[in-house]
Amino acid sequence: MGPNCSNLWCVLVFASLVTLSSGSLSAKFYASTCPKLLSIVRSEVVKAVDKEYRMGASLLRLHFHDCFVNGCDASVLLDDTSNFTGEKTAIPNKDSLRGFEVIDSIKTLVEAACPSVVSCADILSLAARDSVIALGGPSWVVGLGRRDSTTASFDNANNDLPSPFLDLPDLISAFSNKGFDTKELVALSGSHTIGQARCSMFRVRAHNETTTIDPDFAASLRTNCPFSGDDQNLSPLDLNTQSLFDNAYFKNLVQNKGLLHSDQALFTNSSSPSSADSHVNSYISDPKAFFSDFAAAMVKMSNLSPLTGSDGQIRSDCRKIN
């Protein structure tokens, strides 16, 4: 549970003090070896989000898609080569993940300030946190000290990343496999208060679902997402405040206006409520609880199986191994 706060400032302070769950990572890991790291990352993220607010959601999603596949090791950043197939072309990532050039820019500046010191995995973790802050969301302490993988897994990216077409039991299973309970699943899904999705990800919901989607909402989606074609057309995940990190996403769900099937699966809106319904309602009535629970879940996610010590390497170029 979050703190007993009466204002947003209080919950932001609480969120920034969320305890790290892994003793191998430390917020001060680079305090002496790269003291300008935090300011470099924050500045570049703010520039990127100011230029295109959608980039905040993209950088947050990059971190999620990294951590859910063999841990937070920057494997998602590796380009394919003639003898290596990474994660970028896996079904959940192909033509979908973006923001790589922002990470490249940050890495270039960090390398100039402190060569061969800071991992790409740590840059991803910081960029995700700073993206949320830039869009009005909570802060949290980012533990640092991760190292970068020397490989990636195309198969695990296809198997471990939750599909936008999943029903609640399968979503619960996918997140449980990574150590998250239903409350944390709902909190992390709240990241869909920012960002957009491609037509191909919600076409079936817009055209074929009749009982779990508001008819006027479905009709509006069909104007931008025809029955066939235009797969890359975008619609906001949050109908109302797409450039602001808030709790409006959950308000959409109780109105049957979740964009993705997996979004609406979190709320049944029926006489037989699902195990997630109470959490959705809680975050509608108490946005401070959403902020603090989201921050805590992000700390937990960023600690999924990090490479530390002598494992892995510090890549000089995030797109390839040294």
Side-chain angles (χ1 to χ4, degrees), residues 24-274:
S24 61
L25 301 180
S26 168
K28 298 181 179 181
F29 187 83
Y30 299 110
S32 61
T33 57
C34 195
K36 295 183 179 180
L37 171 63
L38 299 186
S39 61
I40 291 172
V41 176
R42 178 69 58 88
S43 175
E44 290 303 298
V45 167
V46 168
K47 288 179 186 177
V49 174
D50 282 349
K51 182 178 180 181
E52 180 195 8
Y53 73 82
R54 182 187 169 208
M55 187 56 68
S58 297
L59 293 172
L60 178 59
R61 188 165 180 257
L62 260 184
H63 182 45
F64 174 82
H65 280 230
D66 179 39
C67 293
F68 255 57
V69 182
N70 298 336
C72 306
D73 60 2
S75 59
V76 73
L77 301 179
L78 290 172
D79 285 340
D80 292 353
T81 67
S82 58
N83 56 8
F84 168 80
T85 301
E87 298 166 16
K88 288 183 176 179
T89 54
I91 292 172
N93 297 335
K94 186 178 181 181
D95 301 323
S96 174
L97 283 187
R98 55 198 300 276
F100 298 106
E101 72 284 354
V102 177
I103 301 300
D104 290 340
S105 296
I106 295 171
K107 180 63 172 174
T108 297
L109 293 174
V110 170
E111 283 295 300
C114 34
S116 302
V117 170
V118 179
S119 69
C120 301
D122 279 342
I123 289 173
L124 272 180
S125 297
L126 289 168
R129 189 268 311 273
D130 292 347
S131 293
V132 171
I133 295 173
L135 293 172
S139 180
W140 58 90
V141 174
V142 176
L144 301 169
R146 299 168 192 80
R147 289 169 63 84
D148 299 323
S149 68
T150 56
T151 187
S153 178
F154 175 86
D155 290 339
N156 287 348
N158 278 322
N159 294 328
D160 291 358
L161 291 166
S163 163
F165 307 107
L166 293 183
D167 290 320
L168 182 60
D170 291 326
L171 284 170
I172 290 174
S173 177
F175 277 75
S176 177
N177 289 339
K178 301 298 179 181
F180 296 100
D181 60 22
T182 302
K183 181 180 180 181
E184 291 166 327
L185 157 64
V186 176
L188 288 172
S189 296
S191 63
H192 285 183
T193 188
I194 54 175
Q196 302 180 35
R198 294 171 295 148
C199 168
S200 58
M201 297 295 102
F202 60 86
R203 172 179 284 118
V204 172
R205 175 158 165 76
H207 287 270
N208 297 327
E209 292 190 18
T210 58
T211 60
T212 65
I213 188 168
D214 176 85
D216 292 335
F217 178 56
S220 70
L221 293 178
R222 291 194 291 269
T223 63
N224 190 43
C225 185
F227 190 78
S228 63
D230 291 336
D231 285 359
Q232 303 303 317
N233 284 1
L234 298 170
S235 287
L237 287 159
D238 174 2
L239 182 66
N240 298 309
T241 56
Q242 54 190 283
S243 62
L244 180 65
F245 194 100
D246 58 13
N247 69 335
Y249 165 81
F250 301 107
K251 298 176 182 179
N252 296 333
L253 299 187
V254 302
Q255 299 174 14
N256 282 344
K257 293 180 180 179
L259 181 64
L260 304 177
H261 181 88
S262 58
D263 289 327
Q264 197 58 57
L266 300 179
F267 193 83
T268 62
N269 204 22
S270 70
S271 57
S272 301
S274 74

Side-chain angles (χ1 to χ4, degrees), residues 272-294:
S272 301
S274 74
S275 59
D277 279 18
S278 62
H279 301 305
V280 171
N281 283 322
S282 173
Y283 294 150
I284 291 173
S285 62
D286 189 354
K288 295 186 295 291
F290 166 49
F291 270 35
S292 59
D293 288 350
F294 179 81

